[in-house]
Amino acid sequence: MKIQLIPGRYRHHRHLFFRRLGRKVSLITAGAVLQGFAMAVFLFPHSIPSGGGAGIAVLLNHGFGLPMSLGFWVANFAFLIFTAHHLGIFSAIGTIYVITATSVSVNFFEVYVRPPLLNVWLDLLIGSLILGTGVAMLMRQRVSNGGIGYTALVIYKYKKIKPGTSLFWMNGVIFILAAYVVNWRIILFAIGCQMISTRVINYLLGRKPQRRWTAGFAWRSKK
């Protein structure tokens, strides 16, 4: 029994590959934009960090006046550059794309969109829901939403510490530092953001996506 491609099938597979690749990039971009929208419009106006990278961005903004978008990019890229060689170039490129798309989105929405509510509790709720949706879209496509998440994967690879555990402690230290330097309430808002967004992520990732097409080789038996 041999594997053979049916004539013309290769071209069909190539078309499906590029269509699937385009869909994947579109979903990654949409997830990054949603993440940036949640940060810029609902969370950052109250200095609420959605994660470790955002917490460092809050600290850089408070201490040096660095724009949140640039601080977010610098913080995540700094973690990524020291760990990229451990997980491979393609994973690193995907994470760099997510970080850059998120940072550009934060900058865009900060400039062109005025926060609609400015009530910290409503903004925390809405921002966390949108953030969780964006991160779930990224995780569904198997990419990290930032350099600190990427670092957690490296720690798991070499130390076998679960990514959620190491991410919790890294983010926790950054949240405590941000609360100490900026405002003690930040840690409460950060924990609330994590609780809401992670529940959204768990809910969305728990739903099994439907396969719209399958591609494979045609088996032809020769006797």
Side-chain angles (χ1 to χ4, degrees), residues 2 5 24 27-28 50 61 69 84 91 105 118 138 151 189 204 213 216:
K2 298 181 180 180
L5 284 172
K24 187 178 185 70
L27 289 173
I28 291 173
S50 58
N61 177 262
S69 56
S91 297
S105 300
L118 290 178
L138 294 173
T151 304
F189 295 144
L204 293 178
W213 60 271

Side-chain angles (χ1 to χ4, degrees), residues 75-176:
N76 281 285
F77 190 78
F79 277 92
L80 181 64
I81 199 171
F82 288 109
T83 55
H85 62 284
H86 292 287
L87 290 182
I89 186 64
F90 291 107
S91 297
I93 290 174
T95 304
I96 290 173
Y97 177 75
V98 170
I99 294 169
T100 304
T102 301
S103 300
V104 171
S105 300
V106 169
N107 183 70
F108 175 85
F109 291 122
E110 283 183 334
V111 172
Y112 294 104
V113 178
R114 292 185 60 185
L117 301 176
L118 290 178
N119 177 287
V120 63
W121 298 108
L122 286 176
D123 284 346
L124 174 63
L125 175 61
I126 297 173
S128 300
L129 292 173
I130 297 174
L131 177 74
T133 302
V135 174
M137 291 176 67
L138 294 173
M139 296 181 72
R140 180 65 63 82
Q141 301 307 312
R142 300 182 183 275
V143 295
S144 170
N145 67 316
I148 294 184
Y150 195 88
T151 304
L153 294 177
V154 173
I155 293 174
Y156 175 72
K157 180 179 180 180
Y158 289 98
K159 301 296 183 180
K160 301 307 178 184
I161 299 175
K162 292 183 178 179
T165 302
S166 57
L167 198 59
F168 172 81
W169 287 108
M170 286 189 291
N171 286 342
V173 170
I174 295 171
F175 291 159
I176 291 172

